[in-house]
Amino acid sequence: MKNFWRILSYARPLGPSAVKYALLTLLYVAFSLVNFTVLIPLLEVLFDQVNVPQAGAIPAPPDFSLTIDYFKSTFYYHFNAIIIEKGRLGALQFVCMVIVASVLLSNVFRYLSAMILVSLRVKVLRNMRNHIFQKVSELHLGYFTEQKKGDLISRMTVDIQEIQNSVTNSLKILFKEPVLVIGYFAILFSMSVKLTLLTILVLPFSGGIISIIAQRLKKRAVQSQESLGRILNMLDETLSGMRIVKAFNSERNIVDKFEKEVKVNERYSYSVLQKFEMAGPISEFLGVFAVAAILLVGGTMVLNQQGDMSASKFMGFLIIFTQVLTPAKAISTSITNINKGLAASVRIFEIIDTKPTITEAPNAQSVEQLKTSIEYKNVNFSYGQEQVLTGINLEIKKGEIVALVGPSGGGKSTMADLIPRFYEPTSGTIEINGVDIRQYKVKDLRALMGIVTQESILFNDTIKNNIAFGLVDIDDSRVIEAAKVANAHEFIINTPEGYETMIGERGTKLSGGQRQRLSIARAVLKDPDILILDEATSALDSESEKLVQEALINLMKDRTSLVIAHRLSTIQNADKIVVIEKGKIIQAGTHDELSTKTGLYKKLLKMQSF
Ligand code: ADP
């Protein structure tokens, strides 16, 4: 239930809507009740059970008071007056007019109150979507492992939709129907205490059965959502890795894997839907069971002429009682529904409540430039159990190019990821200008650096916006300047709409070399003091490679660079080469120094025939 209020809190401020809603709902309920209470006089007229009062025998119109009695006596006052004046036919017309008028009014109020819930519902959804997206964007990088991606997407789309469908939909029922039920029962009690008590006996029984079903449903719903997350994950993986799937002839494998998961999902969905469908029939059966019991007892009362139970009054009672069933049924359905939605909300609040592990120190200081150096001091790091970096000590002086080389999986990328605090060392520190980077504002720290990764990360937007990514109010001329430095201007102006060309999802409309030059242009435009560069290993044609190389050299000019190097040219330009193997620095020096010493570097040189 806590989550239910938490969902509602997304529609804050609730006060004004709640007051308006309560008022409109009360009016709606009042007018709906009128419809059924006038049924008894109607039946009396039809069954010829009214005693036509003598003229002059009608009591004076009642004095105004806010009680049911006042409205009842006012109605009967006019009702009697009309019978005297126009006879039974006139009374029939009068009752019909009252019914039409009150149905009209009750439906107008019903619409108005429903609209308040509609705006509440869309507001919850909007605020929730924004909140979860903002939270996700603040989470530390380590959170976004590949396995989590599909699950995250499913939570942010399907689960939110589920909340929209169930919890917010049920609001209507939970806040309106109980008022209706109470109103109906008030009338039933005023008609016959004995019969009404009998009906009440049946309700807890049916409520108990329904809540057992709801509990089971909730459990299955969670399992079903989790399985859906795995399916989405598989979809994402397969769609982006289709080339490999085909190259390895693994279509059958992935289809088998997919079908297996879909089957699991089918089982859970079946179970959820089965319980969902069960709730309706069961409550209906219990309802009719109650009607039969009442028919028996009430019918006996009429036949034996017990109390003041007349046939038309008993029929009125029955009609009103059947009206109780509809909202009661709606309430029980919506309880099962809410459980489905609450299961989804648990998954959403899990994300919202995840604390980012990379946080800013309370009195974090600003940093605007790299003045002296970047220094790793005794840095150790592990992703979970696995030790990835051990005892790293390295100084990168301002203006230097430092190249990291070594076998893949050695820890080079991880080392680079520690500088912008994508991950935090398990022990040891990294300092910039002699100050632990944890002392700096995260935003400032990251503003110091430009990052060009192997895989150029582009967004489905125009070329211009991709280059100016993350920067605001950038002059077109600066974008063009950056593209020129990155050797990208030529190809850009040859695209259909130049800088305004949309590049397609993840830049798929561009070649590998072009994508890289765009990422380089992005880094040039940001003009950072520190450059973190993960050179592409993917094969580019030699023309493209030359352009990319030139662009990189332009980019590194007058900056401090940490390069994960795969190419000879970068390595020869480097002021220092650091050889990393199994998370340790095993050699460091210039190319000339290292290439003459026996060691891993010499071996690598030979192997790659640099
Ligand atoms: P390199 O850049 O030298 O190829 P990495 O820094 O990418 O090496 O990887 C070092 C080790 O850390 C590898 O064993 C790799 O499997 C592991 N690793 C890399 N990223 C992650 C991650 N996000 N979660 C867990 N382990 C990781």
Side-chain angles (χ1 to χ4, degrees):
M1 219 49 207
K2 208 174 86 227
N3 278 353
F4 185 76
W5 293 115
R6 199 166 162 194
I7 293 169
L8 278 193
S9 73
Y10 279 90
R12 271 200 291 245
L14 281 167
S17 333
V19 172
K20 268 192 270 175
Y21 182 73
L23 214 69
L24 288 168
T25 303
L26 276 180
L27 284 169
Y28 159 59
V29 170
F31 281 103
S32 326
L33 293 180
V34 168
N35 293 334
F36 293 103
T37 42
V38 297
L39 278 176
I40 298 167
L42 179 70
L43 289 168
E44 283 168 352
V45 171
L46 289 178
F47 288 130
D48 196 11
Q49 284 187 347
V50 277
N51 304 320
V52 177
Q54 301 300 310
I58 316 170
D63 292 331
F64 178 78
S65 67
L66 245 183
T67 57
I68 295 183
D69 235 24
Y70 164 75
F71 288 103
K72 208 164 143 190
S73 1
T74 310
F75 174 80
Y76 273 102
Y77 168 73
H78 289 291
F79 185 62
N80 285 335
I82 285 172
I83 289 185
I84 290 168
E85 219 175 281
K86 299 192 177 148
R88 292 216 320 247
L89 210 59
L92 181 64
Q93 288 165 351
F94 172 69
V95 172
C96 287
M97 259 164 48
V98 171
I99 289 180
V100 168
S102 71
V103 164
L104 178 71
L105 285 172
S106 77
N107 280 295
V108 166
F109 290 123
R110 172 171 146 188
Y111 169 73
L112 292 178
S113 65
M115 284 318 289
I116 290 182
L117 286 185
V118 165
S119 55
L120 203 106
R121 197 172 130 173
V122 289
K123 201 160 144 194
V124 164
L125 213 66
R126 178 195 69 198
N127 288 341
M128 215 168 190
R129 279 205 174 114
N130 287 342
H131 191 206
I132 192 171
F133 195 79
Q134 180 217 334
K135 279 286 177 182
V136 165
S137 75
E138 284 168 3
L139 282 175
H140 48 280
L141 211 58
Y143 187 82
F144 302 95
T145 56
E146 281 303 312
Q147 300 92 296
K148 282 235 179 95
K149 230 164 67 187
D151 182 51
L152 261 181
I153 292 175
S154 114
R155 290 182 194 217
M156 291 169 77
T157 52
V158 185
D159 287 322
I160 290 216
Q161 201 58 46
E162 189 63 55
I163 289 185
Q164 142 103 332
N165 290 345
S166 53
V167 178
T168 44
N169 240 345
S170 306
L171 275 182
K172 189 160 86 191
I173 291 162
L174 279 193
F175 288 101
K176 188 188 70 191
E177 310 295 321
V179 186
L180 267 179
V181 171
I182 292 171
Y184 285 134
F185 268 111
I187 295 174
L188 289 180
F189 265 117
S190 76
M191 290 170 79
S192 165
V193 176
K194 188 174 160 193
L195 277 184
T196 314
L197 283 178
L198 180 68
T199 64
I200 287 181
L201 276 183
V202 199
L203 288 183
F205 176 63
S206 101
I209 294 182
I210 297 293
S211 82
I212 291 172
I213 298 178
Q215 282 304 323
R216 297 220 173 132
L217 188 139
K218 190 171 164 188
K219 199 171 121 211
R220 287 281 177 243
V222 173
Q223 289 167 324
S224 158
Q225 305 287 52
E226 281 168 0
S227 147
L228 195 63
R230 289 193 294 272
I231 290 179
L232 285 178
N233 199 13
M234 251 184 244
L235 271 181
D236 181 53
E237 259 174 27
T238 315
L239 293 182
S240 37
M242 205 42 118
R243 177 190 295 265
I244 302 294
V245 170
K246 293 211 178 295
F248 283 84
N249 274 329
S250 326
E251 287 97 332
R252 195 60 248 166
N253 281 348
I254 57 158
V255 169
D256 285 348
K257 209 169 130 197
F258 189 77
E259 282 176 354
K260 215 161 126 194
E261 190 60 51
V262 169
K263 195 161 177 163
V264 170
N265 187 263
E266 179 199 9
R267 228 183 36 234
Y268 291 140
S269 307
Y270 180 85
S271 173
V272 169
L273 291 174
Q274 179 234 353
K275 294 189 173 58
F276 189 69
E277 294 299 340
M278 210 151 85
I282 284 190
S283 58
E284 179 153 337
F285 169 74
L286 292 171
V288 174
F289 174 74
V291 173
I294 294 161
L295 265 179
L296 198 66
V297 177
T300 314
M301 280 163 81
V302 173
L303 292 178
N304 293 345
Q305 293 181 336
Q306 282 171 356
D308 62 345
M309 188 55 87
S310 66
S312 52
K313 195 171 169 190
F314 180 52
M315 284 193 71
F317 185 95
L318 276 182
I319 294 174
I320 295 177
F321 178 70
T322 52
Q323 293 308 306
V324 177
L325 290 183
T326 319
K329 215 165 74 186
I331 292 172
S332 70
T333 321
S334 84
I335 287 174
T336 35
N337 234 330
I338 284 180
N339 273 307
K340 252 168 85 188
L342 286 182
S345 79
V346 168
R347 286 161 50 82
I348 286 179
F349 289 133
E350 244 170 45
I351 301 180
I352 289 178
D353 294 338
T354 306
K355 297 257 174 300
T357 53
I358 310 275
T359 49
E360 193 160 277
N363 297 313
Q365 36 178 305
S366 306
V367 54
E368 272 155 25
Q369 33 175 216
L370 174 66
K371 289 188 184 133
T372 55
S373 68
I374 307 168
E375 199 173 354
Y376 291 77
K377 285 188 165 168
N378 254 324
V379 169
N380 293 301
F381 179 79
S382 63
Y383 295 104
Q385 299 293 320
E386 188 193 4
Q387 181 82 10
V388 175
L389 296 175
T390 316
I392 300 288
N393 284 293
L394 172 67
E395 187 180 19
I396 306 167
K397 292 204 180 77
K398 183 181 159 92
E400 277 185 346
I401 297 177
V402 171
L404 303 181
V405 298
S408 116
K412 302 182 292 295
S413 310
T414 306
M415 245 180 100
D417 279 347
L418 296 180
I419 302 181
R421 287 188 73 194
F422 289 159
Y423 298 96
E424 211 91 279
T426 355
S427 66
T429 54
I430 295 176
E431 296 179 356
I432 286 182
N433 302 337
V435 175
D436 187 341
I437 54 173
R438 281 173 291 199
Q439 303 294 322
Y440 292 128
K441 292 183 179 150
V442 178
K443 230 182 160 138
D444 280 9
L445 177 73
R446 292 184 184 159
L448 279 184
M449 44 200 90
I451 299 174
V452 179
T453 50
Q454 283 194 27
E455 230 182 287
S456 323
I457 309 294
L458 300 176
F459 298 90
N460 188 13
D461 202 337
T462 60
I463 288 181
K464 187 177 102 189
N465 288 341
N466 265 288
I467 296 179
F469 183 75
L471 304 172
V472 279
D473 293 334
I474 292 292
D475 253 19
D476 285 4
S477 60
R478 286 185 56 203
V479 173
I480 295 172
E481 198 50 47
K484 281 183 178 161
V485 175
N487 272 341
H489 181 68
E490 285 296 314
F491 93 79
I492 294 172
I493 53 174
N494 282 322
T495 56
E497 287 162 71
Y499 283 84
E500 299 301 327
T501 305
M502 297 290 293
I503 59 169
E505 207 171 322
R506 295 187 195 170
T508 38
K509 289 186 191 165
L510 302 174
S511 78
Q514 289 172 336
R515 287 206 292 272
Q516 269 175 12
R517 281 177 280 152
L518 283 192
S519 329
I520 294 169
R522 183 189 286 163
V524 172
L525 185 63
K526 190 179 178 190
D527 192 20
D529 283 6
I530 302 170
L531 197 67
I532 296 172
L533 193 66
D534 196 346
E535 274 190 338
T537 41
S538 53
L540 299 175
D541 57 273
S542 50
E543 174 64 18
S544 190
E545 171 153 357
K546 202 173 127 248
L547 289 172
V548 171
Q549 275 306 316
E550 268 178 29
L552 285 177
I553 289 167
N554 289 342
L555 175 63
M556 285 191 277
K557 209 183 298 167
D558 304 324
R559 293 182 218 278
T560 309
S561 308
L562 179 69
V563 186
I564 298 171
H566 306 283
R567 291 193 181 85
L568 182 62
S569 47
T570 331
I571 295 174
Q572 281 180 336
N573 283 335
D575 298 287
K576 197 192 280 173
I577 295 166
V578 179
V579 186
I580 299 184
E581 191 186 27
K582 293 187 185 140
K584 291 191 180 132
I585 297 182
I586 53 164
Q587 280 185 298
T590 60
H591 171 74
D592 291 340
E593 285 165 17
L594 293 178
S595 51
T596 51
K597 279 189 202 153
T598 35
L600 184 60
Y601 185 71
K602 204 169 167 188
K603 233 161 92 197
L604 285 173
L605 270 184
K606 225 169 164 180
M607 248 164 48
Q608 301 182 2
S609 62
F610 279 153

